[in-house]
Amino acid sequence: GDSVTQMEGPVTLSEEAFLTINCTYTATGYPSLFWYVQYPGEGLQLLLKATKADDKGSNKGFEATYRKETTSFHLEKGSVQVSDSAVYFCALSASNNDMRFGAGTRLTVKP
Amino acid sequence: EAGVAQSPRYKIIEKRQSVAFWCNPISGHATLYWYQQILGQGPKLLIQFQNNGVVDDSQLPKDRFSAERLKGVDSTLKIQPAKLEDSAVYLCASSNTGDWGYTFGSGTRLTVV
């Protein structure tokens, strides 16, 4: 079935460092792809999305490009802040709007 | 707009007891989801409702879990009897037809001891 694999954490970076969190997917058809973020003690929030190949989703300085040829949707940010410390989930949604999540990657940014 | 409301926020019960969680989705959202998030894992879909009908409950352990969405608005998820491995955060989410991406509630953290 459809699934998402994302890089294992935890990831620890210094403030202003470059961030990449890898995500690859397996799906029949053409899913939509998402990144969700979960701050400590809070629910999941949609960070960005892309609904078709070559689309780039972006929000709050984060970006991810839907790469059909490599079945990937890697999350990037040029300069992370302490406030970006959270758990990041890659997800896909194919038919039926059923969302499948990766295991999550915990990011800690140190001042 | 108001978000997805869930209660209670935390619950501790003994194994073999029963427990119920409540969810109020965003007004007008036709689709409602219950997810189970075990510590260190991504959320796993338990059940999906479209209005008051079940669309997908293939991953719901029906011997102990049940859910309903009367009148197509609020929903309750029940576990009876609970097991230790049911300890998790139970997330409710809602979406509207044609929307991409859900809005999640803050979740209910269940601890079974």
Side-chain angles (χ1 to χ4, degrees), chain A residues 32 34 36 38 41-46 49 51 89 93-94 96-104 106, chain B residues 9 33 35 37 40-45 48 55-56 59 91 95-96 99-106:
Chain A
S32 293
F34 306 83
Y36 279 82
Q38 189 172 34
E42 299 184 16
L44 280 84
Q45 302 174 26
L46 178 64
K49 65 185 179 188
T51 57
F89 293 92
S93 178
N96 211 26
N97 214 21
D98 173 6
M99 195 80 68
R100 304 292 176 99
F101 288 86
R106 180 176 299 278
Chain B
R9 190 67 191 272
Y33 313 81
Y35 280 81
Q37 186 179 12
Q41 299 181 19
K44 182 186 81 171
L45 180 69
Q48 176 184 348
V55 174
D56 182 359
Q59 299 192 80
L91 296 165
S95 68
N96 216 352
D99 283 354
W100 294 105
Y102 307 165
T103 301
F104 281 88
S106 297

Short mmCIF file of all heavy atoms in Angstrom, two decimals, chain A residues 32 34 36 38 41-46 49 51 89 93-94 96-104 106, chain B residues 9 33 35 37 40-45 48 55-56 59 91 95-96 99-106:
data_model
loop_
_atom_site.label_atom_id
_atom_site.label_comp_id
_atom_site.label_asym_id
_atom_site.label_seq_id
_atom_site.Cartn_x
_atom_site.Cartn_y
_atom_site.Cartn_z
N SER A 32 -1.04 13.52 -3.28
CA SER A 32 -0.62 14.82 -2.79
C SER A 32 0.33 14.58 -1.62
O SER A 32 0.20 13.59 -0.90
CB SER A 32 -1.82 15.64 -2.32
OG SER A 32 -2.63 15.98 -3.42
N PHE A 34 2.60 16.21 1.79
CA PHE A 34 2.47 17.20 2.85
C PHE A 34 3.64 17.10 3.83
O PHE A 34 4.24 16.03 4.00
CB PHE A 34 1.18 16.96 3.67
CG PHE A 34 -0.06 16.89 2.85
CD1 PHE A 34 -0.44 15.72 2.21
CD2 PHE A 34 -0.88 18.00 2.73
CE1 PHE A 34 -1.59 15.66 1.44
CE2 PHE A 34 -2.04 17.95 1.97
CZ PHE A 34 -2.39 16.77 1.33
N TYR A 36 3.84 18.10 7.92
CA TYR A 36 3.19 18.58 9.12
C TYR A 36 4.24 18.81 10.18
O TYR A 36 5.27 18.13 10.21
CB TYR A 36 2.17 17.57 9.64
CG TYR A 36 0.85 17.59 8.93
CD1 TYR A 36 0.68 16.92 7.72
CD2 TYR A 36 -0.24 18.29 9.44
CE1 TYR A 36 -0.55 16.94 7.06
CE2 TYR A 36 -1.45 18.31 8.80
CZ TYR A 36 -1.60 17.64 7.60
OH TYR A 36 -2.81 17.67 6.96
N GLN A 38 4.77 19.33 14.50
CA GLN A 38 4.16 19.17 15.82
C GLN A 38 5.09 19.79 16.86
O GLN A 38 6.15 19.23 17.17
CB GLN A 38 3.93 17.70 16.11
CG GLN A 38 3.11 17.42 17.36
CD GLN A 38 2.74 15.95 17.49
OE1 GLN A 38 3.49 15.06 17.10
NE2 GLN A 38 1.56 15.68 18.03
N GLY A 41 3.79 19.63 22.97
CA GLY A 41 2.52 19.79 23.65
C GLY A 41 1.36 20.23 22.77
O GLY A 41 0.27 20.52 23.27
N GLU A 42 1.58 20.29 21.46
CA GLU A 42 0.53 20.75 20.56
C GLU A 42 0.16 19.67 19.54
O GLU A 42 0.82 18.65 19.41
CB GLU A 42 0.98 22.02 19.82
CG GLU A 42 1.27 23.18 20.75
CD GLU A 42 1.63 24.44 19.98
OE1 GLU A 42 1.36 24.50 18.76
OE2 GLU A 42 2.16 25.37 20.60
N GLY A 43 -0.93 19.91 18.83
CA GLY A 43 -1.35 19.01 17.77
C GLY A 43 -0.56 19.24 16.49
O GLY A 43 0.25 20.15 16.40
N LEU A 44 -0.82 18.42 15.50
CA LEU A 44 -0.14 18.56 14.22
C LEU A 44 -0.69 19.76 13.46
O LEU A 44 -1.90 20.00 13.42
CB LEU A 44 -0.35 17.31 13.36
CG LEU A 44 0.53 16.11 13.67
CD1 LEU A 44 -0.07 15.32 14.80
CD2 LEU A 44 0.71 15.24 12.45
N GLN A 45 0.21 20.50 12.82
CA GLN A 45 -0.18 21.64 12.01
C GLN A 45 0.36 21.43 10.60
O GLN A 45 1.51 21.01 10.43
CB GLN A 45 0.40 22.94 12.56
CG GLN A 45 0.00 23.27 13.98
CD GLN A 45 0.74 24.49 14.49
OE1 GLN A 45 1.16 25.35 13.72
NE2 GLN A 45 0.91 24.57 15.80
N LEU A 46 -0.45 21.73 9.62
CA LEU A 46 0.01 21.65 8.25
C LEU A 46 1.07 22.72 8.00
O LEU A 46 0.83 23.90 8.24
CB LEU A 46 -1.16 21.83 7.28
CG LEU A 46 -0.82 21.80 5.80
CD1 LEU A 46 -0.29 20.44 5.39
CD2 LEU A 46 -2.04 22.17 4.96
N LYS A 49 2.35 21.96 1.45
CA LYS A 49 1.82 20.86 0.67
C LYS A 49 2.15 21.07 -0.81
O LYS A 49 2.47 22.18 -1.24
CB LYS A 49 0.30 20.76 0.83
CG LYS A 49 -0.44 21.97 0.29
CD LYS A 49 -1.93 21.89 0.59
CE LYS A 49 -2.64 23.13 0.04
NZ LYS A 49 -4.04 23.21 0.46
N THR A 51 0.55 19.31 -4.60
CA THR A 51 -0.47 18.41 -5.10
C THR A 51 -0.13 17.74 -6.42
O THR A 51 -0.82 16.82 -6.84
CB THR A 51 -1.82 19.12 -5.24
OG1 THR A 51 -1.64 20.24 -6.12
CG2 THR A 51 -2.32 19.61 -3.90
N PHE A 89 6.62 15.72 10.27
CA PHE A 89 6.05 14.51 9.67
C PHE A 89 5.81 14.74 8.19
O PHE A 89 5.16 15.70 7.80
CB PHE A 89 4.72 14.15 10.32
CG PHE A 89 4.81 13.71 11.75
CD1 PHE A 89 4.68 14.64 12.77
CD2 PHE A 89 5.00 12.39 12.07
CE1 PHE A 89 4.77 14.25 14.10
CE2 PHE A 89 5.09 11.97 13.39
CZ PHE A 89 4.97 12.91 14.41
N SER A 93 -1.38 11.73 0.63
CA SER A 93 -2.81 11.47 0.53
C SER A 93 -3.14 11.14 -0.90
O SER A 93 -2.89 11.95 -1.79
CB SER A 93 -3.61 12.68 1.00
OG SER A 93 -5.00 12.45 0.86
N ALA A 94 -3.64 9.94 -1.11
CA ALA A 94 -3.98 9.53 -2.46
C ALA A 94 -5.51 9.56 -2.61
O ALA A 94 -6.14 10.53 -2.28
CB ALA A 94 -3.40 8.16 -2.76
N ASN A 96 -9.38 8.87 -1.77
CA ASN A 96 -10.13 8.79 -0.53
C ASN A 96 -9.67 9.80 0.52
O ASN A 96 -10.17 9.79 1.65
CB ASN A 96 -10.04 7.37 0.06
CG ASN A 96 -11.26 6.98 0.84
OD1 ASN A 96 -12.34 7.51 0.57
ND2 ASN A 96 -11.10 6.12 1.81
N ASN A 97 -8.67 10.62 0.18
CA ASN A 97 -8.17 11.62 1.12
C ASN A 97 -7.66 11.00 2.42
O ASN A 97 -7.65 11.64 3.46
CB ASN A 97 -9.27 12.64 1.45
CG ASN A 97 -8.69 14.02 1.69
OD1 ASN A 97 -7.59 14.32 1.27
ND2 ASN A 97 -9.43 14.85 2.38
N ASP A 98 -7.22 9.74 2.35
CA ASP A 98 -6.69 9.04 3.51
C ASP A 98 -5.22 9.43 3.67
O ASP A 98 -4.42 9.16 2.79
CB ASP A 98 -6.85 7.53 3.27
CG ASP A 98 -6.18 6.70 4.34
OD1 ASP A 98 -5.67 7.27 5.32
OD2 ASP A 98 -6.15 5.47 4.16
N MET A 99 -4.85 10.06 4.77
CA MET A 99 -3.49 10.56 4.98
C MET A 99 -2.63 9.47 5.61
O MET A 99 -2.99 8.90 6.64
CB MET A 99 -3.55 11.78 5.91
CG MET A 99 -2.29 12.62 5.95
SD MET A 99 -2.12 13.74 4.56
CE MET A 99 -3.45 14.89 4.88
N ARG A 100 -1.46 9.23 4.98
CA ARG A 100 -0.49 8.28 5.54
C ARG A 100 0.74 9.06 5.98
O ARG A 100 1.29 9.83 5.19
CB ARG A 100 -0.08 7.23 4.49
CG ARG A 100 -1.25 6.46 3.91
CD ARG A 100 -1.90 5.56 4.94
NE ARG A 100 -3.07 4.88 4.39
CZ ARG A 100 -3.08 3.66 3.93
NH1 ARG A 100 -1.95 2.95 3.94
NH2 ARG A 100 -4.19 3.12 3.47
N PHE A 101 1.17 8.82 7.22
CA PHE A 101 2.26 9.59 7.80
C PHE A 101 3.53 8.78 7.92
O PHE A 101 3.50 7.56 8.13
CB PHE A 101 1.88 10.06 9.21
CG PHE A 101 0.85 11.15 9.23
CD1 PHE A 101 -0.50 10.84 9.20
CD2 PHE A 101 1.23 12.47 9.29
CE1 PHE A 101 -1.46 11.84 9.22
CE2 PHE A 101 0.28 13.48 9.31
CZ PHE A 101 -1.06 13.17 9.28
N GLY A 102 4.67 9.47 7.83
CA GLY A 102 5.94 8.87 8.20
C GLY A 102 6.07 8.84 9.71
O GLY A 102 5.19 9.30 10.45
N ALA A 103 7.18 8.32 10.18
CA ALA A 103 7.38 8.13 11.62
C ALA A 103 7.74 9.42 12.34
O ALA A 103 7.70 9.47 13.57
CB ALA A 103 8.46 7.08 11.86
N GLY A 104 8.10 10.44 11.60
CA GLY A 104 8.44 11.71 12.23
C GLY A 104 9.94 11.86 12.44
O GLY A 104 10.65 10.88 12.67
N ARG A 106 12.51 14.31 14.75
CA ARG A 106 12.60 15.34 15.78
C ARG A 106 13.77 16.25 15.48
O ARG A 106 14.91 15.79 15.32
CB ARG A 106 12.76 14.71 17.16
CG ARG A 106 12.85 15.73 18.29
CD ARG A 106 12.92 15.06 19.65
NE ARG A 106 11.72 14.27 19.91
CZ ARG A 106 10.59 14.78 20.36
NH1 ARG A 106 10.48 16.07 20.60
NH2 ARG A 106 9.55 13.99 20.59
N ARG B 9 -8.19 16.19 27.65
CA ARG B 9 -6.83 16.39 27.16
C ARG B 9 -5.93 15.23 27.59
O ARG B 9 -5.05 14.80 26.85
CB ARG B 9 -6.28 17.71 27.69
CG ARG B 9 -4.97 18.12 27.04
CD ARG B 9 -5.14 18.46 25.57
NE ARG B 9 -3.87 18.59 24.90
CZ ARG B 9 -3.16 19.71 24.81
NH1 ARG B 9 -3.61 20.81 25.37
NH2 ARG B 9 -2.02 19.74 24.15
N TYR B 33 -11.78 12.32 11.02
CA TYR B 33 -10.83 11.22 11.15
C TYR B 33 -10.43 11.05 12.61
O TYR B 33 -10.27 12.04 13.33
CB TYR B 33 -9.55 11.50 10.35
CG TYR B 33 -9.76 11.99 8.94
CD1 TYR B 33 -10.04 13.33 8.69
CD2 TYR B 33 -9.64 11.12 7.85
CE1 TYR B 33 -10.21 13.79 7.39
CE2 TYR B 33 -9.80 11.58 6.55
CZ TYR B 33 -10.08 12.92 6.33
OH TYR B 33 -10.24 13.37 5.05
N TYR B 35 -7.17 9.32 14.57
CA TYR B 35 -5.84 8.74 14.42
C TYR B 35 -5.32 8.33 15.79
O TYR B 35 -5.62 8.95 16.81
CB TYR B 35 -4.86 9.74 13.82
CG TYR B 35 -4.94 9.89 12.32
CD1 TYR B 35 -5.92 10.69 11.73
CD2 TYR B 35 -4.03 9.25 11.49
CE1 TYR B 35 -5.98 10.82 10.35
CE2 TYR B 35 -4.09 9.38 10.11
CZ TYR B 35 -5.06 10.17 9.56
OH TYR B 35 -5.13 10.30 8.19
N GLN B 37 -1.67 7.89 17.70
CA GLN B 37 -0.25 8.18 17.59
C GLN B 37 0.47 7.62 18.80
O GLN B 37 0.42 8.18 19.90
CB GLN B 37 0.00 9.68 17.47
CG GLN B 37 1.46 10.02 17.20
CD GLN B 37 1.71 11.51 17.06
OE1 GLN B 37 0.86 12.34 17.37
NE2 GLN B 37 2.88 11.86 16.56
N GLY B 40 6.69 8.13 19.53
CA GLY B 40 7.80 7.85 18.63
C GLY B 40 7.39 7.40 17.24
O GLY B 40 8.24 7.10 16.41
N GLN B 41 6.09 7.36 16.98
CA GLN B 41 5.60 6.93 15.66
C GLN B 41 4.72 8.01 15.04
O GLN B 41 4.28 8.94 15.71
CB GLN B 41 4.80 5.63 15.80
CG GLN B 41 5.59 4.47 16.35
CD GLN B 41 4.74 3.20 16.45
OE1 GLN B 41 3.70 3.08 15.80
NE2 GLN B 41 5.21 2.25 17.24
N GLY B 42 4.49 7.86 13.75
CA GLY B 42 3.55 8.75 13.08
C GLY B 42 2.12 8.34 13.36
O GLY B 42 1.86 7.20 13.75
N PRO B 43 1.19 9.24 13.16
CA PRO B 43 -0.22 8.90 13.38
C PRO B 43 -0.69 7.81 12.43
O PRO B 43 -0.29 7.76 11.27
CB PRO B 43 -0.94 10.23 13.07
CG PRO B 43 0.09 11.29 13.24
CD PRO B 43 1.37 10.66 12.81
N LYS B 44 -1.55 6.95 12.95
CA LYS B 44 -2.13 5.86 12.16
C LYS B 44 -3.64 6.02 12.14
O LYS B 44 -4.26 6.19 13.19
CB LYS B 44 -1.76 4.51 12.78
CG LYS B 44 -2.28 3.31 11.98
CD LYS B 44 -2.02 2.00 12.69
CE LYS B 44 -3.06 1.73 13.75
NZ LYS B 44 -2.96 0.37 14.32
N LEU B 45 -4.21 6.00 10.94
CA LEU B 45 -5.65 6.17 10.81
C LEU B 45 -6.40 5.02 11.44
O LEU B 45 -6.12 3.85 11.17
CB LEU B 45 -6.03 6.28 9.33
CG LEU B 45 -7.53 6.46 9.05
CD1 LEU B 45 -8.00 7.83 9.52
CD2 LEU B 45 -7.83 6.28 7.56
N GLN B 48 -12.39 6.76 9.41
CA GLN B 48 -12.72 7.97 8.65
C GLN B 48 -14.24 8.00 8.43
O GLN B 48 -14.82 7.02 7.96
CB GLN B 48 -11.99 7.98 7.31
CG GLN B 48 -12.34 9.14 6.41
CD GLN B 48 -11.66 9.05 5.05
OE1 GLN B 48 -10.76 8.24 4.84
NE2 GLN B 48 -12.09 9.89 4.12
N VAL B 55 -16.33 5.67 6.10
CA VAL B 55 -15.66 5.48 4.81
C VAL B 55 -14.60 4.40 4.89
O VAL B 55 -14.47 3.58 4.00
CB VAL B 55 -15.04 6.81 4.33
CG1 VAL B 55 -14.22 6.59 3.06
CG2 VAL B 55 -16.10 7.87 4.12
N ASP B 56 -13.85 4.41 6.01
CA ASP B 56 -12.75 3.46 6.16
C ASP B 56 -12.56 3.18 7.63
O ASP B 56 -12.29 4.10 8.40
CB ASP B 56 -11.47 4.04 5.54
CG ASP B 56 -10.27 3.09 5.62
OD1 ASP B 56 -10.41 1.98 6.17
OD2 ASP B 56 -9.19 3.47 5.11
N GLN B 59 -8.50 -0.27 9.83
CA GLN B 59 -7.45 -0.41 10.84
C GLN B 59 -7.97 -0.22 12.26
O GLN B 59 -7.18 -0.08 13.19
CB GLN B 59 -6.31 0.57 10.54
CG GLN B 59 -5.65 0.33 9.18
CD GLN B 59 -4.37 1.11 9.02
OE1 GLN B 59 -3.32 0.70 9.52
NE2 GLN B 59 -4.44 2.23 8.33
N LEU B 91 -5.83 11.41 18.12
CA LEU B 91 -6.00 12.67 17.40
C LEU B 91 -7.26 12.63 16.56
O LEU B 91 -7.53 11.64 15.88
CB LEU B 91 -4.80 12.92 16.47
CG LEU B 91 -3.45 13.10 17.15
CD1 LEU B 91 -2.34 12.97 16.13
CD2 LEU B 91 -3.38 14.46 17.82
N SER B 95 -11.74 17.69 7.67
CA SER B 95 -11.45 18.36 6.41
C SER B 95 -12.75 18.53 5.64
O SER B 95 -13.75 17.87 5.94
CB SER B 95 -10.44 17.56 5.57
OG SER B 95 -11.02 16.36 5.11
N ASN B 96 -12.70 19.42 4.65
CA ASN B 96 -13.88 19.63 3.84
C ASN B 96 -13.67 19.01 2.47
O ASN B 96 -12.54 18.81 2.04
CB ASN B 96 -14.18 21.12 3.71
CG ASN B 96 -15.66 21.39 3.69
OD1 ASN B 96 -16.47 20.46 3.64
ND2 ASN B 96 -16.04 22.65 3.73
N ASP B 99 -10.76 19.76 0.00
CA ASP B 99 -9.59 20.34 0.67
C ASP B 99 -8.45 19.35 0.65
O ASP B 99 -8.65 18.15 0.71
CB ASP B 99 -9.91 20.65 2.14
CG ASP B 99 -10.73 21.91 2.26
OD1 ASP B 99 -10.94 22.59 1.24
OD2 ASP B 99 -11.14 22.22 3.39
N TRP B 100 -7.25 19.87 0.63
CA TRP B 100 -6.08 19.03 0.79
C TRP B 100 -5.44 19.36 2.13
O TRP B 100 -5.09 20.48 2.39
CB TRP B 100 -5.09 19.27 -0.36
CG TRP B 100 -5.65 18.83 -1.67
CD1 TRP B 100 -6.12 19.63 -2.65
CD2 TRP B 100 -5.83 17.50 -2.11
NE1 TRP B 100 -6.57 18.87 -3.70
CE2 TRP B 100 -6.39 17.55 -3.40
CE3 TRP B 100 -5.56 16.25 -1.55
CZ2 TRP B 100 -6.70 16.43 -4.14
CZ3 TRP B 100 -5.85 15.11 -2.28
CH2 TRP B 100 -6.41 15.21 -3.56
N GLY B 101 -5.26 18.35 2.93
CA GLY B 101 -4.69 18.57 4.25
C GLY B 101 -5.79 18.71 5.28
O GLY B 101 -6.86 19.23 5.00
N TYR B 102 -5.50 18.19 6.45
CA TYR B 102 -6.49 18.20 7.51
C TYR B 102 -6.19 19.30 8.51
O TYR B 102 -5.08 19.83 8.57
CB TYR B 102 -6.44 16.91 8.33
CG TYR B 102 -6.52 15.62 7.60
CD1 TYR B 102 -6.16 14.44 8.25
CD2 TYR B 102 -6.95 15.51 6.28
CE1 TYR B 102 -6.23 13.22 7.63
CE2 TYR B 102 -7.00 14.29 5.65
CZ TYR B 102 -6.65 13.15 6.33
OH TYR B 102 -6.72 11.93 5.73
N THR B 103 -7.17 19.58 9.39
CA THR B 103 -6.93 20.35 10.60
C THR B 103 -7.05 19.39 11.77
O THR B 103 -8.08 18.72 11.93
CB THR B 103 -7.96 21.49 10.74
OG1 THR B 103 -7.86 22.34 9.60
CG2 THR B 103 -7.68 22.29 11.99
N PHE B 104 -6.00 19.33 12.56
CA PHE B 104 -5.97 18.42 13.70
C PHE B 104 -6.35 19.12 14.99
O PHE B 104 -6.05 20.31 15.19
CB PHE B 104 -4.57 17.84 13.87
CG PHE B 104 -4.25 16.71 12.93
CD1 PHE B 104 -3.71 16.97 11.69
CD2 PHE B 104 -4.49 15.40 13.29
CE1 PHE B 104 -3.41 15.93 10.81
CE2 PHE B 104 -4.20 14.36 12.43
CZ PHE B 104 -3.67 14.62 11.18
N GLY B 105 -6.95 18.36 15.89
CA GLY B 105 -7.13 18.80 17.26
C GLY B 105 -5.85 18.57 18.04
O GLY B 105 -4.88 18.00 17.52
N SER B 106 -5.85 19.00 19.29
CA SER B 106 -4.65 18.86 20.13
C SER B 106 -4.45 17.45 20.66
O SER B 106 -3.39 17.12 21.17
CB SER B 106 -4.72 19.83 21.31
OG SER B 106 -4.72 21.16 20.84
#
